[in-house]
Amino acid sequence: DPSAGGTIAGDAEYQLRTVDAAITDRDLPPVGDHVRALVEHALQASYPGAVVEVFGSCASNLASPESDVDLVAHGHAGLKRGDGAAAIEVKRILEAHLGESGAIRDFAATPHARVPVVTFAAAFPDGSDRVATVDLTLGNAEVVWNSRLIREFGRHAGGDARRLLRLARFWARQRRISTVYRLQTPSPYAHCLLVISFLV
């Protein structure tokens, strides 16, 4: 316990153990893939050729039980990055196609944000009462490659590097300095790049 007057290194190790207990890969159903397929199917009737992909922590293998699910829809001219009107239309389509089941609900669009986003809540597909918050953005397929970069770095750099990536994300989230869509703070990806720059 750092309150007992331990060293800086000891305090850091204590915090790592605490975070390890809070962020774990155990008991994480594939809610991202499940929701991705539902959203893609709903959008393709109005946007032929549309593709929906998972990015963020669910794609980079850094997710914790309380992580949001980040999706991006692209592949059609109507799904343009930064288009607030498109975000409103996508929200309407998803609500019409998916809202009746009750498994996906609480749809909202934020069209005037720097990055327009459609948010909703999705039930985990394991039959539990857990619900994930989903953020759907439009047009920016590059974020998928960003997540793959982080995932591959964590896979090749080893377990300690991955722990540090997760610790940085957890630290930033707890201090509300990693909420790019809402408070215009640095993104979780930016925090991960800082960690990678430090390690390499």
Side-chain angles (χ1 to χ4, degrees):
D1 186 334
S3 63
T7 64
I8 292 176
D11 291 354
E13 181 61 30
Y14 173 81
Q15 290 195 29
L16 279 170
R17 290 198 305 270
T18 301
V19 170
D20 281 343
I23 51 178
T24 172
D25 289 332
R26 297 189 303 273
D27 195 26
L28 283 176
V31 63
D33 290 336
H34 173 71
V35 175
R36 183 210 63 77
L38 293 175
V39 171
E40 184 175 87
H41 180 74
L43 290 181
Q44 284 180 341
S46 300
Y47 301 101
V51 175
V52 177
E53 296 188 81
V54 182
F55 71 99
S57 60
C58 289
S60 61
N61 202 23
L62 298 176
S64 62
E66 63 275 0
S67 293
D68 292 349
V69 176
D70 295 306
L71 302 177
V72 58
H74 61 93
H76 187 281
L79 300 171
K80 293 185 295 185
R81 180 179 183 178
D83 189 340
I88 293 173
E89 178 63 10
V90 165
K91 181 254 185 186
R92 184 194 66 79
I93 292 169
L94 295 182
E95 200 164 23
H97 283 79
L98 303 175
E100 291 185 2
S101 70
I104 299 181
R105 58 185 186 273
D106 302 332
F107 296 88
T110 310
H112 302 299
R114 182 171 64 86
V115 179
V117 60
V118 178
T119 61
F120 51 91
F124 276 67
D126 60 353
S128 69
D129 58 356
R130 291 186 294 172
V131 175
T133 299
V134 182
D135 290 336
L136 171 66
T137 55
L138 307 179
N140 186 17
E142 290 85 356
V143 294
V144 176
W145 293 102
N146 294 346
S147 300
R148 291 174 182 172
L149 182 152
I150 299 298
R151 182 187 65 203
E152 289 304 302
F153 178 84
R155 185 167 70 87
H156 289 286
D160 287 343
R162 188 162 166 272
R163 285 177 73 204
L164 188 56
L165 286 167
R166 300 182 80 190
L167 174 61
R169 288 172 56 93
F170 181 81
W171 177 89
R173 184 173 66 246
Q174 292 297 104
R175 287 156 180 78
R176 295 181 58 79
I177 57 171
S178 184
T179 55
V180 61
Y181 298 139
R182 300 174 181 87
L183 301 178
Q184 296 189 8
T185 55
S187 67
Y189 177 65
H191 287 97
C192 285
L193 289 182
L194 289 173
V195 172
I196 291 173
S197 297
F198 171 76
L199 291 175
V200 300

